[in-house]
Amino acid sequence: MTDESYKKGFNTAVKVILGLVLIIVGLVAIVAFWSSVLTLIKAGIGFVFLLAGAITLALAKD
């Protein structure tokens, strides 16, 4: 294996491991703060409808 190939493989492995660690930490945070997550989702529903309405009006304008 060439040195360049080794570095590319190592960098890929580091990125995969970092990605998996971040996914696990994210899932743990969601479980730990579940009530806050639900509050954020409930608060975001209004913004979703607002954005959907704005997009619908923009499409109707065409």
Side-chain angles (χ1 to χ4, degrees):
M1 193 182 294
T2 64
D3 190 42
E4 183 179 323
S5 175
Y6 174 77
K7 286 181 182 179
K8 184 176 180 183
F10 179 75
N11 286 340
T12 302
V14 169
K15 290 175 187 176
V16 168
I17 292 170
L18 179 62
L20 290 173
V21 168
L22 290 172
I23 288 173
I24 291 169
V25 169
L27 289 174
V28 169
I30 288 173
V31 171
F33 301 108
W34 183 246
S35 63
S36 297
V37 171
L38 287 178
T39 302
L40 287 172
I41 291 171
K42 290 176 187 176
I45 290 174
F47 291 111
V48 170
F49 284 132
L50 182 70
L51 189 59
I55 291 171
T56 302
L57 288 174
L59 291 175
K61 187 177 180 181
D62 287 340

